[in-house]
Amino acid sequence: MIDEAKIQRINELAKKAKSPEGLTEAEVQERALLRREYVEAVKASLRAQLDNTYIVDEQGNKRKLEPKKGGPKQ
C-alpha cells in the first residue's frame, strides 16, 4: 500500500514537470521510483482482490477464480 504522502509527491512532481522550469535529474529519478512503487501497489491490490473472488454457477456452487493459463507470471 502506498501512503498518501507519496501520492501527493507524485502529483507535485507531475505538476512541476508540466511547468516551464521542469524537473531536475534527481526529481526525474524520484518520479520514476515513485511511479514504479505506485504501479506495484496497484497490481498487488488487484491480485489480492482477484485471489478472493469466487464464481457462483446456476446451481449455487461456489468455486475460486483460477488464473488464466498462459497469463502473466506473478
Side-chain angles (χ1 to χ4, degrees):
M1 182 76 178
I2 191 164
D3 63 18
E4 189 61 35
K6 288 183 179 180
I7 293 173
Q8 204 168 17
R9 182 63 179 153
I10 291 169
N11 291 331
E12 289 170 7
L13 291 170
K15 185 176 180 181
K16 187 175 179 188
K18 293 177 185 175
S19 73
E21 66 185 83
L23 297 174
T24 65
E25 186 58 37
E27 288 170 329
V28 169
Q29 291 175 357
E30 178 187 9
R31 180 180 65 174
L33 183 67
L34 287 170
R35 282 180 172 175
R36 173 59 35 211
E37 187 176 342
Y38 178 79
V39 168
E40 292 303 318
V42 169
K43 285 181 180 179
S45 175
L46 180 59
R47 265 189 220 109
Q49 186 175 7
L50 291 173
D51 286 344
N52 292 305
T53 300
Y54 292 86
I55 304 295
V56 179
D57 65 17
E58 297 82 24
Q59 291 80 31
N61 299 318
K62 190 167 121 176
R63 66 181 172 85
K64 190 159 179 54
L65 182 65
E66 296 295 326
K68 190 174 182 179
K69 291 184 182 192
K73 305 273 191 237
Q74 289 186 16

